[in-house]
Amino acid sequence: MTFAQGFASVFRAVLSTFAVASIVVLAVVLYGFYYPAPYAQQTARQLPVVVVDEERSDLTRALVRRLSDLREVRIVSEADSIRTAEQQVRSREADGVLLLPRGLTRSLLTGAPGGGIGIWVNGTYLIRARDIGGAVQNAALAVAAERLGPLAQGLHLRAPIAVVERPLFNTREGYADYVFPAVAAIILQQTLLFGTAMLAAAQTARVREGKAAPLSPPGFLGVWSALGLIGCLAAMFYFGWIFWYQDVPRAGNVAALFLAVPLFAAAVSALGLLLGSLFDSAERALQVLIPTSIVLFFLAGAAWPLSSMPGWVAGLAHLSPATFGAQAFVRLNEMGASLGEVAPQLAGLVVLGLVYGAAAAWRLTKSAA
């Protein structure tokens, strides 16, 4: 088999095998729309909160009214005690409790301890907990400034230093903008990995049954190049049109992506060829590899930093091209990083591509024993 024959055989197999085409083509397109859909609102809205107003002053009533006007939270009830409010959270009637204790106004004016606002939040959902806390804090600061500002000036009280936060990359601080750019690397890897492994497993089975000869070195390079091209097209479809359509941070350093994407696609396709050569059928390869997706997402360093993982876990994580890919693509797309700033990730992809490629070539160019 020549290089051209190997190259053409991949596209012929993709077009003639529905199972492979549905993974490397159809799944790539569908996931671009399906995965971000639940996070279209970007931030949590109308989160139910119970209020316990022990002071019942003009200040606390103004704060409750301000919270009622916010899109982030929804006041579901005003409980008589903190115990009643906590019970509503335990019964999932609310996600948080806001306590406005007696002496709150006096505490704000004099700085006396013991009169601060209390917030209890269900920590099961981190995004909800963050948004409830942020909404209450912003409302409290606004009400305090409106109600106590003139009085504080009359008493010559010093205003606290205002802290202005300006996010640099995820400017809307939305969940989709945070998670989808990282998950895109997992989607691109797994779809290409599954399809490649199925093709390699089918080739291995034919060789074992005597229906086909092992790939020649030029034929293997042709197959690898074709699979890498498919991976590049899928990545450019995501980083170009899908990221634009979903309006996520993108195009930070487009020129560097033209180097990073082929290295990523080559490493993933090499890994797929190697893994596929270990199975006796395409179906078996798919059954074994599908459950790895969620594991690889957590190992990619998006949900939890790699530096905070045990050393051996972080080491295993770097065996997946998506770990290097996610770190590089997020930096290039969202942060506009230079090639030098992603050089370690690109070097890792080169090493994985060479190691997996050499192992896959050894497996597929020799008779399967």
Side-chain angles (χ1 to χ4, degrees):
M1 180 181 289
T2 64
F3 178 92
Q5 290 173 330
F7 189 91
S9 68
V10 172
F11 291 95
R12 187 165 53 247
V14 170
L15 294 176
S16 62
T17 309
F18 177 76
V20 177
S22 63
I23 292 175
V24 299
V25 179
L26 186 60
V28 171
V29 175
L30 291 180
Y31 265 108
F33 299 96
Y34 163 76
Y35 192 90
Y39 316 115
Q41 298 294 340
Q42 290 278 16
T43 58
R45 297 187 178 189
Q46 296 296 296
L47 300 175
V49 173
V50 181
V51 174
V52 181
D53 188 354
E54 295 180 343
E55 183 174 282
R56 297 191 177 278
S57 64
D58 290 342
L59 178 70
T60 59
R61 283 191 289 269
L63 177 55
V64 173
R65 286 195 299 270
R66 177 62 65 94
L67 284 173
S68 300
D69 295 336
L70 297 178
R71 69 177 184 179
E72 290 88 354
V73 298
R74 172 171 53 90
I75 306 299
V76 294
S77 66
E78 293 193 29
D80 296 330
S81 65
I82 189 66
R83 179 174 297 181
T84 303
E86 288 179 351
Q87 185 59 41
Q88 289 185 257
V89 174
R90 294 180 187 276
S91 60
R92 298 184 182 276
E93 298 176 19
D95 284 334
V97 176
L98 172 63
L99 173 64
L100 305 175
R102 294 182 181 86
L104 175 60
T105 303
R106 181 176 60 86
S107 175
L108 292 175
L109 285 173
T110 64
I117 296 175
I119 306 174
W120 286 264
V121 182
N122 182 357
T124 305
Y125 304 101
L126 298 179
I127 301 298
R128 292 185 178 186
R130 182 204 66 184
D131 287 351
I132 289 175
V136 171
Q137 180 182 17
N138 292 335
L141 290 174
V143 170
E146 292 176 0
R147 298 279 172 161
L148 302 180
L151 181 58
Q153 292 177 3
L155 296 175
H156 303 288
L157 299 176
R158 294 183 60 187
I161 298 175
V163 178
V164 179
E165 295 182 1
R166 298 185 185 275
L168 295 177
F169 310 115
N170 183 358
T171 55
R172 291 177 295 186
E173 298 184 280
Y175 189 67
D177 287 354
Y178 150 65
V179 71
F180 185 57
V183 171
I186 303 296
I187 295 173
L188 292 171
Q189 170 172 296
Q190 295 303 90
T191 51
L192 180 59
L193 185 71
F194 295 163
T196 301
M198 292 177 69
L199 293 176
Q203 167 66 16
T204 301
R206 289 194 297 269
V207 171
R208 288 177 175 173
E209 295 169 1
K211 298 179 180 179
L215 294 175
S216 65
F220 172 81
L221 290 177
V223 169
W224 190 9
S225 298
L227 292 168
L229 177 60
I230 292 174
C232 289
L233 294 175
M236 292 306 177
F237 173 67
Y238 263 58
F239 301 149
W241 195 82
I242 288 292
F243 275 27
W244 168 82
Y245 180 82
Q246 298 294 350
D247 195 22
V248 299
R250 62 196 179 275
N253 188 344
V254 176
L257 284 174
F258 281 98
L259 174 61
V261 165
L263 295 178
F264 173 75
V268 173
S269 54
L271 177 59
L273 290 170
L274 174 59
L275 293 177
S277 70
L278 303 176
F279 295 99
D280 56 3
S281 69
E283 293 76 14
R284 183 64 57 82
L286 190 60
Q287 291 170 354
V288 173
L289 293 177
I290 281 179
T292 63
S293 298
I294 187 66
V295 177
L296 293 178
F297 169 70
F298 284 107
L299 291 178
W304 189 256
L306 289 168
S307 59
S308 299
M309 297 180 187
W312 65 273
V313 175
L316 288 177
H318 286 95
L319 296 178
S320 168
T323 299
F324 291 115
Q327 301 292 324
F329 295 150
V330 168
R331 286 173 168 84
L332 294 175
N333 270 318
E334 298 191 54
M335 305 178 186
S338 65
L339 278 176
E341 290 170 323
V342 296
Q345 288 76 29
L346 299 186
L349 290 174
V350 170
V351 171
L352 291 184
L354 292 175
V355 172
Y356 293 148
W362 180 79
R363 290 278 304 172
L364 293 173
T365 57
K366 293 184 178 294
S367 298

